[in-house]
Amino acid sequence: MIRCANVHMRFREKRVLNGLEINIEDNKATVIMGRSGIGKSVLLKCICGLLAPQQGVIEIDGQNIAAARPRQAKMIRSAIGMLLQEGALFDGLTVYENIAFPLTYHRNHTHAEIDREVRRYADIVEMTPFLDLVPRELSGGMKRKAALARCMITQPRYLFYDEPTTGLDPISAGTVDAIIKKLSDTVNITSLIVTHDVELALFVGDTVALIEDGRIRALEARAEFRRSESELRTRFIDQRRILHEEYHANRTVCHCYEFCI
Amino acid sequence: MNDTRPTASTLDRMYSDFVYLMKSYRSFLRWLFSRGYPWKETGRQFFLVFDSAIVQVIAGSIMFSLLLTWVSGYYGRYLGAARYVSTATVEVILRAGSVMLASTIYSAKVGTAMTVEIGSMQMTGQLDALKLMDIEPFKYLVIPRVAASLLVLPIFVGITHGIAILSSAFLLQWWFDLPIPIFLDNAFVFLDATVITSSMLRAVLIGFFVSLNACCFGTFYCDSAADMGETTTKALVLNIFVVLITDLLVSVGLRQGGFL
């Protein structure tokens, strides 16, 4: 279980997390949604120890990673896999080498074991035909799928996704959604997904949270969240549609645009 | 009239850059002596670095010898000291020119590439990905590049020695009718082993500092292309100063110590 209590994080004058509190249950998929630049990725980086919050407790299986020494943080982090934005594949390596990288570097496995594991996870993310390509030859969706296989190969107990579908076309996004859902449902894993993609959140998340002003403002099961009529939920989920309707009704959304017409 | 004195913020930035660099040096030492040296990556970097700059080093050596031979040949004749032309040319090449030339080309070509490569890895989250895989970026990225530089720069200096001397011999014959056998008779009159040893020592030290600075600047936090451009420029300027200062200090130190 992951427990965040009173987490504060600021970059110079900008307060990003402001006393954030959330509990993430084991073997469930939790989605954290919020506007761009509101601190979702910062929260993920704090949870996996890449950033140290100025204040607060972040416990993973009862161990506070926010106050851990580097060696202990490393041990805690070994239970975590994270799909970074746009995959962060290594440019000079093929898809096969990228997926195999965590195993080949640590030299705990034979070549045959590595090969078997790479092919197994490549198969799960449907990347087997592309193992010989290098990242620049892949589409955005393929990069994320390959990166996901690389995260999975170390068999983490926690899997974090940082904006897994941002910048993808609907078809690629749908494929990535399906793979995340398949992993959440079939593998015993705790998933934490930060996104502003409402469709992904409602498809994958067992629990959905909304973050605003550096705090979690709503945390509900998917069905409840879908039914909820709270102002925050409405503002976040329906704002775009409301703006479109307003525009069609009186064309006052963008004066520049009106002027151009 | 514009006031061109550095502002407090410029000094602050220089100070924070210096502090960051010192912290990076400390991290380098810490990870250098940790378990599991990345031999394979070091070998890969050796070939990559060698391959990326060898053409520039050869071209630079030829250009350098063109200039040097013309100046020494012209003034040698003008001053009535034609017989010393080959000696002077070879002395300049071996004692100072080759190390400076190869190191400057190395800083510009290889150092910059290191800063940009690691910087762009940082921008695209690849350094975070390494940390999440329990791989320390300093160990996997910085140490192999520094180790490769310790080997490659002395080799480049050796190549520069050879090419510059050979080019000078041919150019002196072509431009100033100085036969190659006479060139070779006079060229190495004042030469001893310490000259070569000193140039290799300087190359090793410069290779170490240039590559370490370049890699450390690459790990600076950059969140935009402009940031990365600024960081790369900083690294290059610093490295050019490092080349000049290291060359000077080692030469003076060896001379004062009686080794030259």
Side-chain angles (χ1 to χ4, degrees), chain A residues 45 48 50 70 74 77-78 80 82 84-85 87-93 98 101-102 105-107 150, chain B residues 30-31 36-40 44 120-121 124-136 139-140:
Chain A
K45 287 185 178 176
C48 61
L50 291 176
K74 260 185 163 187
R77 215 184 284 144
S78 65
I80 299 171
M82 181 164 160
L84 290 147
Q85 280 184 24
L89 294 175
F90 303 124
D91 304 322
L93 306 181
N98 262 290
F101 191 80
Y105 185 85
H106 291 298
R107 298 180 199 150
R150 188 178 65 183
Chain B
R30 185 176 144 217
W31 291 109
Y37 184 82
W39 291 106
K40 197 175 162 193
R44 199 175 78 91
S120 61
M121 286 180 80
T124 54
Q126 292 175 49
L127 297 193
D128 285 343
L130 282 173
K131 285 181 197 161
L132 285 163
M133 287 180 232
D134 194 15
I135 298 166
E136 176 52 42
K139 189 157 187 173
Y140 180 68

Side-chain angles (χ1 to χ4, degrees), chain A:
Chain A
M1 183 175 171
I2 299 173
R3 185 177 78 88
C4 301
N6 194 29
V7 178
H8 289 261
M9 183 78 191
R10 62 157 46 161
F11 294 104
R12 294 196 182 139
E13 297 308 308
K14 193 180 176 194
R15 193 183 284 273
V16 182
L17 303 178
N18 185 18
L20 182 136
E21 312 242 348
I22 189 172
N23 289 339
I24 293 154
E25 290 178 44
D26 281 345
N27 303 329
K28 284 197 173 175
T30 304
V31 178
I32 298 178
M33 287 205 293
R35 285 181 287 118
S36 300
I38 207 150
K40 303 185 297 292
S41 302
V42 170
L43 173 62
L44 269 194
K45 287 185 178 176
C46 286
I47 294 177
C48 61
L50 291 176
L51 290 175
Q54 274 99 24
Q55 196 185 326
V57 174
I58 299 174
E59 282 184 358
I60 298 175
D61 295 334
Q63 297 185 79
N64 184 4
I65 195 167
R69 291 181 159 274
R71 188 169 293 193
Q72 195 193 357
K74 260 185 163 187
M75 276 184 50
I76 302 170
R77 215 184 284 144
S78 65
I80 299 171
M82 181 164 160
L83 176 65
L84 290 147
Q85 280 184 24
E86 301 185 20
L89 294 175
F90 303 124
D91 304 322
L93 306 181
T94 63
V95 171
Y96 183 98
E97 289 163 338
N98 262 290
I99 297 174
F101 191 80
L103 301 186
T104 46
Y105 185 85
H106 291 298
R107 298 180 199 150
N108 298 328
H109 299 78
T110 63
H111 284 293
E113 283 171 347
I114 292 172
D115 187 62
R116 194 180 60 233
E117 290 296 293
V118 169
R119 291 185 190 285
R120 181 176 152 218
Y121 286 102
D123 191 42
I124 292 173
V125 299
E126 299 157 14
M127 284 296 289
T128 309
F130 312 108
L131 286 175
D132 293 331
L133 301 185
V134 288
R136 66 171 175 276
E137 296 171 316
L138 303 177
S139 68
M142 289 155 93
K143 279 183 193 168
R144 302 214 193 164
K145 288 196 281 182
L148 189 51
R150 188 178 65 183
C151 297
M152 292 292 297
I153 204 164
T154 53
Q155 301 179 340
R157 289 203 312 285
Y158 299 97
L159 194 48
F160 299 166
Y161 302 85
D162 189 2
E163 308 273 13
T165 54
T166 301
L168 298 184
D169 64 87
I171 297 170
S172 305
T175 319
V176 173
D177 292 353
I179 290 169
I180 296 174
K181 180 76 175 160
K182 185 165 81 177
L183 287 174
S184 303
D185 290 348
T186 56
V187 186
N188 233 3
I189 207 163
T190 307
S191 304
L192 177 60
I193 303 142
V194 300
T195 183
H196 45 66
D197 181 345
V198 179
E199 286 181 44
L200 168 70
L202 294 178
F203 179 59
V204 176
D206 297 312
T207 311
V208 181
L210 276 174
I211 184 171
E212 193 165 273
D213 299 331
R215 291 175 187 207
I216 299 291
R217 297 287 183 185
L219 181 67
E220 294 167 320
R222 180 176 41 193
E224 279 175 44
F225 185 80
R226 215 187 269 273
R227 283 195 302 270
S228 165
E229 288 182 359
S230 71
E231 190 206 336
L232 185 67
R233 179 219 176 268
T234 312
R235 189 147 37 98
F236 186 74
I237 307 264
D238 298 331
Q239 186 69 27
R240 202 166 171 187
R241 183 180 51 75
I242 293 167
L243 284 172
H244 288 180
E245 282 172 6
E246 260 180 35
Y247 175 77
H248 284 302
N250 50 24
R251 302 198 170 211
T252 56
V253 175
C254 175
H255 296 291
C256 304
Y257 186 60
E258 248 181 358
F259 177 75
C260 293
I261 290 169

Side-chain angles (χ1 to χ4, degrees), chain B residues 7-21:
Chain B
T7 60
S9 66
T10 310
L11 289 174
D12 283 349
R13 255 185 292 154
M14 284 172 72
Y15 176 73
S16 63
D17 289 351
F18 175 76
V19 170
Y20 184 86
L21 211 54

Side-chain angles (χ1 to χ4, degrees), chain B residues 203-223:
Chain B
V204 168
L205 284 172
I206 291 171
F208 174 78
F209 285 114
V210 163
S211 54
L212 187 53
N213 290 338
C215 293
C216 291
F217 270 102
T219 60
F220 258 44
Y221 179 73
C222 304
D223 63 355

Side-chain angles (χ1 to χ4, degrees), chain B residues 107-119:
Chain B
S107 303
K109 184 72 175 46
V110 180
T112 310
M114 286 176 180
T115 309
V116 172
E117 188 186 359
I118 296 178

